[in-house]
Amino acid sequence: TALNATVMRQRTAWQDGVIELDGETLVQAVEEFNRYRQAPIIVGDPRLANLRVGGRFEVDEAEKFLTAVEGSFPVSAIAAADGSILLVSRS
């Protein structure tokens, strides 16, 4: 299957240390960031799973990603003692 240039660039961005998101679900985005983290980000509320996100982040910029998510959606990122992050709906 032939992919257009935009999709191809997005799928190979990791080779340059970048995560490109263009309408992926929050779960898909979190899975991508978790590939590069020691402690995981966890989507703790199933109502958040299908939120669509976008942006371009370095693979080690999970904190910038989380700040963007919190600023764009009613989501709170709660840090745990083990370094993991729990995403929940903000009331």
Side-chain angles (χ1 to χ4, degrees), residues 13-56:
W14 64 270
Q15 294 174 340
D16 296 322
V18 173
I19 296 171
E20 275 197 24
L21 305 169
D22 185 22
E24 281 75 18
T25 66
L26 183 59
V27 168
Q28 290 170 320
V30 163
E31 287 173 352
E32 190 63 26
F33 276 100
N34 282 344
R35 292 177 56 199
Y36 305 98
R37 291 177 51 87
Q38 290 184 358
I41 301 168
I42 302 161
V43 179
D45 185 334
R47 296 174 293 177
L48 303 177
N50 292 319
L51 290 176
R52 297 290 176 169
V53 296
R56 182 178 169 89

